[in-house]
Amino acid sequence: IPLFHAFLYAGAALNRARITVHAHAMSNVRARPVQMLGPQLGNWGLTSLNGQNLDIFQQRVFSLNTTTDTLDSALTRANLSEQACALKLDVEGHEWQGLRGA
């Protein structure tokens, strides 16, 4: 989600850290269409695949259509298999599928 990227880069700049963000919907299956839903206001950490983490009373929601990718495939394409010193997966309830793609 573009706004998340902006916050990550701003935080890194404030701490003089060098980061690269690779946006992927991680899963154990590549190229599966998914929809991410999240609140327009409030806790963006509730953004999830198909809105599974949203409050049932959430009225203003944004959506983003994307496709899934596997961890191994994303790292290979980014040429990071040996260079990354840290990896953060923020998959909001999709941890098992994201890690199974490795």
Side-chain angles (χ1 to χ4, degrees):
I1 297 169
L3 192 53
F4 290 178
H5 295 181
F7 281 118
L8 284 170
Y9 280 114
L14 288 172
N15 291 289
R16 295 188 178 120
R18 188 174 61 92
I19 65 168
T20 302
V21 176
H22 298 273
H24 299 278
M26 290 299 161
S27 186
N28 57 323
V29 178
R30 286 194 73 220
R32 185 181 68 197
V34 292
Q35 182 181 46
M36 297 185 71
L37 298 171
Q40 287 185 354
L41 301 172
N43 183 357
W44 293 327
L46 296 175
T47 300
S48 57
L49 292 177
N50 304 317
Q52 65 191 20
N53 293 344
L54 288 176
D55 186 327
I56 60 170
F57 301 108
Q58 191 70 45
Q59 294 179 8
R60 295 175 57 186
V61 174
F62 71 84
S63 67
L64 174 70
N65 293 317
T66 189
T67 56
T68 60
D69 202 354
T70 64
L71 183 57
D72 281 350
S73 177
L75 290 175
T76 298
R77 278 195 319 282
N79 196 25
L80 291 178
S81 58
E82 298 296 328
Q83 299 171 1
C85 65
L87 175 69
K88 181 184 185 322
L89 290 176
D90 188 1
V91 291
E92 300 300 331
H94 205 66
E95 288 83 0
W96 178 241
Q97 292 88 342
L99 291 173
R100 282 190 60 205

